[in-house]
Amino acid sequence: MDYENKLVLAPMVRVGTLPFRLLAADYGADITYAEEIIDHKLIKCERKVNEYIGSTDFIEKGTDNVVFRTCNQERNRVVFQMGTSDAVRALKAAQIVCKDVAAVDVNMGCPKSFSVSGGMGAALLTKPDLIHDILTTLRRNIDTPVTCKIRLLKSSQDTVELARRIEKTGVSALAVHGRKVADRPRDPAKWNEIADIVSALSIPVIANGDVFEHHDFHRIKVATGASSVMVARGALWNASIFSPKGKAHWEDVKREYVRKSILWDNDVKSTKHTLREIITHYSCLELPEGKAVIKSENLADLAKVYGEEEYYRLVSENRFSLTGHR
Ligand code: FNR
């Protein structure tokens, strides 16, 4: 996996499932991170090839709960991101998926209490020995590239010191979200502090924070010196941000997302969550579209909301003729 000069879709919980990753890639994303999945959850899963959908699924044993779905099309660009606080568990989880993904990433930036109270996400930033243990264990035992994603520490000097320790573990790249743990999403990302890390390391640094338009890719590259850029909210609100041809209308992007969700039989909760985020950004959930999305119980309902009943029917019929399952 080459991490130089890449446009990267950031990991986003409940958003970065297969249809959203494929959507971003269609518009030009080179690397697409999946939503964070906790190691505890993945180690309860078994791998199953889903002939019905054409996907590879990781399903919680004894249930039909799909924890992670991927497909051959994205094999060379999908990054599996995990939440972990333990090297042995992280390795067990990585071994389950590593043959089906392009890289394995460890989330070291999530400030949510769920992550931090479990010793995961941003909690790791204060434990450099544990970071070292997790990353070296993964590096030594799997052939797939290993990376991690961090936030900034209190001082730029502290972040650079940590980044240097991380580099020594042999990771292939380091993604840096240019905010500190206590910063809110509305606080501006500190591109200058990402620049300090870029100049201190030899491995590729993926710069992340406040890229909302295609031309921001160039601005953040110039400001940080990083050749690769990761974008979260800008892509959530309009996945065509990756396109060099300019943004498509968000209504068209949203419709394409609905079609991909139908095609890949996405978890309806994930599709609804993503649609709600998009609608809230541009309009309001109180209007008829928002209310209909909230009320939808399955993908067939969502297909109706967006006038995609015919597409839904065609996909279902095609699957039936291929597999004999409805
Ligand atoms: C995130 N972020 C995030 N980060 C991470 O490492 N793993 C994750 O699963 C998530 N989930 C997530 C969900 C949603 C809806 C958002 C908006 C963000 C953080 C994200 O990857 C990114 O670092 C920040 O949002 C900053 O980038 P932007 O939004 O300024 O481009």
Side-chain angles (χ1 to χ4, degrees), residues 85-112:
S85 59
D86 179 84
V88 174
R89 227 173 32 237
L91 177 59
K92 260 194 203 162
Q95 282 169 331
I96 294 172
V97 285
C98 64
K99 298 248 169 358
D100 291 292
V101 297
V104 171
D105 181 82
V106 178
N107 182 352
M108 301 187 179
C110 182
K112 300 254 162 75

Side-chain angles (χ1 to χ4, degrees), residues 51-93:
E51 284 166 23
Y52 176 64
I53 309 287
S55 59
T56 304
D57 295 346
F58 294 85
I59 300 183
E60 204 173 332
K61 287 176 197 155
T63 74
D64 53 9
N65 179 21
V66 179
V67 170
F68 177 59
R69 169 167 288 166
T70 182
C71 67
N72 283 339
Q73 246 172 287
E74 65 165 5
R75 167 68 185 78
N76 295 324
R77 62 167 179 265
V78 63
V79 177
F80 178 84
Q81 190 194 53
M82 75 163 90
T84 188
S85 59
D86 179 84
V88 174
R89 227 173 32 237
L91 177 59
K92 260 194 203 162

Side-chain angles (χ1 to χ4, degrees), residues 106-166:
V106 178
N107 182 352
M108 301 187 179
C110 182
K112 300 254 162 75
S113 65
F114 164 76
S115 279
V116 176
S117 63
M120 300 177 286
L124 289 173
L125 294 175
T126 56
K127 297 178 188 151
D129 291 340
L130 181 55
I131 291 181
H132 182 268
D133 193 19
I134 292 171
L135 294 176
T136 49
T137 302
L138 290 174
R139 278 271 301 119
R140 286 189 191 133
N141 293 288
I142 61 172
D143 293 331
T144 314
V146 174
T147 59
C148 67
K149 176 167 176 278
I150 62 168
R151 280 190 179 227
L152 302 173
L153 301 185
K154 287 227 165 69
S155 76
S156 192
Q157 206 182 343
D158 288 350
T159 324
V160 166
E161 203 174 298
L162 178 70
R164 284 205 173 109
R165 275 199 80 171
I166 290 173

Side-chain angles (χ1 to χ4, degrees), residues 10-13 36 81 107 149 177 179 208-210 231-233:
M12 283 186 277
V13 162
E36 177 197 43
Q81 190 194 53
N107 182 352
K149 176 167 176 278
H177 174 188
R179 288 191 178 81
N208 169 230
D210 291 351
V231 48
R233 288 165 301 165

